[in-house]
Amino acid sequence: AIKKGKNLIAFEIAKQQCERFLQQELESLKHHDLEIVAIEEKRKIAFDIPELNFPIFLKGKADRVDKIGDCLRIIDYKTGKVTDAQLKIEKDWDHFIDDYKYSKAFQVLFYALLFQKEAKNSTMESGIISFKNLNAGFLKFQKKTEKYGVTETEITAEVIQDFEKELSNLIREILDPSIPFIEKEV
């Protein structure tokens, strides 16, 4: 089925994107030591919400976890186009759980939460490599700060704590029978 027509074109494009990605990885290895920590590793962690009288478990699977220098990176690959702006959040987390534009940032923070124990004495970043935007490289989660609108990319304990608060609110909302489910606008 991949020897002619649209399937052949899609196959050739996918092959070219993979080759470009691998060339970028080889170039990066000339400048950085890289350690692959995990590939498609499943995680399941307990998530405590004190007022709930039953356990909550979070689970997921990051595409890749690696280490460059003292930075642990959690990476999700996307075949579609992702931009830098899709991984940026406001300093006050306004509308983080109810606005679809934050869905990519939510996902990479979720992975950071699952893999935070691996960071130990390292800094941590979480982000996306978009195969339709390969020239952008590793697109990192970004949070605007108070300091002149500067953005920070490190997943700090404070960022994890703020994300856990937002996630707890979302889980409480999902479990509240008085709040109807409403499909998000995409």
Side-chain angles (χ1 to χ4, degrees):
I2 62 169
K3 293 185 179 182
K4 57 184 175 182
K6 289 181 183 178
N7 290 339
L8 176 61
I9 293 169
F11 176 76
E12 289 300 323
I13 289 171
K15 199 164 80 172
Q16 286 176 347
Q17 287 176 326
C18 288
E19 287 172 1
R20 282 183 51 221
F21 171 69
L22 291 173
Q23 286 301 322
Q24 284 180 345
E25 290 288 284
L26 286 171
E27 188 62 33
S28 177
L29 287 173
K30 293 178 184 175
H31 308 286
H32 306 286
D33 288 334
L34 172 71
E35 175 189 351
I36 302 292
V37 176
I39 299 286
E40 296 208 11
E41 186 172 316
K42 293 179 184 176
R43 280 295 158 96
K44 180 179 176 182
I45 63 168
F47 188 70
D48 186 40
I49 301 177
E51 63 272 15
L52 297 181
N53 57 359
F54 52 87
I56 299 286
F57 292 94
L58 306 175
K59 62 182 183 176
K61 179 171 63 171
D63 290 334
R64 170 173 153 181
V65 179
D66 68 24
K67 199 167 186 181
I68 291 183
D70 71 339
C71 183
L72 185 77
R73 302 186 314 165
I74 295 100
I75 301 170
D76 187 52
Y77 297 119
K78 297 286 186 206
T79 56
K81 184 170 183 172
V82 177
T83 64
D84 217 24
Q86 292 174 289
L87 293 164
K88 191 178 292 186
I89 66 165
E90 303 299 322
K91 61 182 174 257
D92 53 12
W93 297 76
D94 273 355
H95 305 289
F96 181 72
I97 60 172
D98 57 5
D99 191 334
Y100 185 77
K101 75 178 184 180
Y102 298 117
S103 63
K104 303 264 186 306
F106 184 96
Q107 181 184 14
V108 299
L109 285 174
F110 186 83
Y111 291 148
L113 178 61
L114 292 177
F115 284 86
Q116 70 179 328
K117 285 189 174 42
E118 270 71 12
K120 296 176 189 159
N121 299 324
S122 304
T123 58
M124 181 169 52
E125 295 176 336
S126 189
I128 291 173
I129 292 177
S130 167
F131 278 82
K132 285 201 176 164
N133 192 9
L134 269 177
N135 290 337
F138 176 54
L139 301 167
K140 303 171 190 177
F141 163 81
Q142 303 170 56
K143 180 181 177 240
K144 289 184 182 176
T145 65
E146 300 283 336
K147 304 172 193 166
Y148 314 108
V150 172
T151 58
E152 294 182 359
T153 60
E154 184 181 345
I155 309 290
T156 62
E158 178 186 349
V159 169
I160 291 288
Q161 187 176 27
D162 288 342
F163 176 69
E164 286 177 325
K165 189 169 92 178
E166 295 294 321
L167 183 58
S168 293
N169 290 337
L170 178 61
I171 292 170
R172 279 190 212 91
E173 181 181 322
I174 289 169
L175 296 174
D176 187 341
S178 68
I179 300 174
F181 285 112
I182 298 170
E183 185 176 354
K184 303 270 189 231
E185 295 282 327
V186 178

